[in-house]
Amino acid sequence: MGVALRDLSGWTFVARVLSGPGWREPRVLWPRLRGPLASNAVILGALCVAGHGELYLLLWLLPLATWYQLVTRLRSIAEHAVVSDDVDPLRNTRTTAAGALARALLAPYWVNFHLEHHLLIFVPCWKLPQAHALLLAKGYGPRMEMASGYGAVLSCATGAGARAPI
């Protein structure tokens, strides 16, 4: 719970920004940041011209510093934590079932099909559900690391529950 509060309060974001390698090596920092800074300046400028500059802070920077940090942590746990085999490509990452709410808040662009993404890196994101169905149809289901939902994975990762198969 403490880590989630740290993410939602913005402390994780501040720590990541301040501990980045660019602060110690300024000539490395500028090439990495000039594109994002330019595009963000355009977005901020357009919103200011439209008379809604506050939306930049409210709809971009605030979620980036808070909600996004927590979502990234949760997805990382769901995708890579407590997997059963680091060597077997069907067991070293996980696919997590996601309903409409989880897809909207945690797993857009079918990122919940993470095992399929690792196995078939050139498959576009919108075809990952088809890749998943194909793997199941070919009989790989019993060997695949899968979870019934994000809650089940978190329960397993925190030790509150047993392994969370689909």
Side-chain angles (χ1 to χ4, degrees), residues 29-117:
L29 184 62
W30 177 244
R32 287 182 53 204
L33 290 182
R34 70 177 163 218
L37 285 175
S39 59
N40 276 272
V42 168
I43 294 168
L44 177 59
L47 287 168
C48 286
V49 166
H52 296 289
E54 72 281 358
L55 291 180
Y56 179 78
L57 295 172
L58 184 65
L59 299 177
W60 181 247
L61 288 185
L62 182 64
L64 176 65
T66 58
W67 175 251
Y68 179 73
Q69 302 303 314
L70 179 62
V71 167
T72 302
R73 184 181 306 278
L74 293 175
R75 279 202 316 239
S76 181
I77 291 168
E79 294 163 355
H80 297 284
V82 291
V83 292
S84 59
D85 188 343
D86 286 340
V87 178
D88 183 354
L90 294 171
R91 310 286 291 169
N92 66 4
T93 188
R94 167 185 302 106
T95 285
T96 305
L101 187 61
R103 288 268 331 277
L105 298 176
L106 292 172
Y109 303 107
W110 301 274
V111 298
N112 57 305
F113 291 101
H114 203 67
L115 182 148
E116 294 76 9
H117 161 71

Side-chain angles (χ1 to χ4, degrees), residues 2-52:
V3 174
L5 290 176
R6 191 175 72 206
D7 290 347
L8 291 173
S9 70
W11 282 110
T12 301
F13 176 75
V14 170
R16 284 184 179 164
V17 168
L18 294 179
S19 68
W23 296 111
R24 292 183 300 276
E25 191 78 37
R27 70 176 195 274
V28 174
L29 184 62
W30 177 244
R32 287 182 53 204
L33 290 182
R34 70 177 163 218
L37 285 175
S39 59
N40 276 272
V42 168
I43 294 168
L44 177 59
L47 287 168
C48 286
V49 166
H52 296 289

Side-chain angles (χ1 to χ4, degrees), residues 81-163:
V82 291
V83 292
S84 59
D85 188 343
D86 286 340
V87 178
D88 183 354
L90 294 171
R91 310 286 291 169
N92 66 4
T93 188
R94 167 185 302 106
T95 285
T96 305
L101 187 61
R103 288 268 331 277
L105 298 176
L106 292 172
Y109 303 107
W110 301 274
V111 298
N112 57 305
F113 291 101
H114 203 67
L115 182 148
E116 294 76 9
H117 161 71
H118 275 253
L119 286 175
L120 309 161
I121 59 172
F122 295 109
V123 171
C125 65
W126 62 89
K127 291 197 174 193
L128 290 173
Q130 293 167 313
H132 177 75
L134 179 64
L135 288 169
L136 293 177
K138 294 286 185 179
Y140 290 104
R143 289 186 47 212
M144 294 168 62
E145 187 74 36
M146 295 186 284
S148 59
Y150 286 91
V153 175
L154 290 175
S155 176
C156 179
T158 60
R163 294 198 59 87

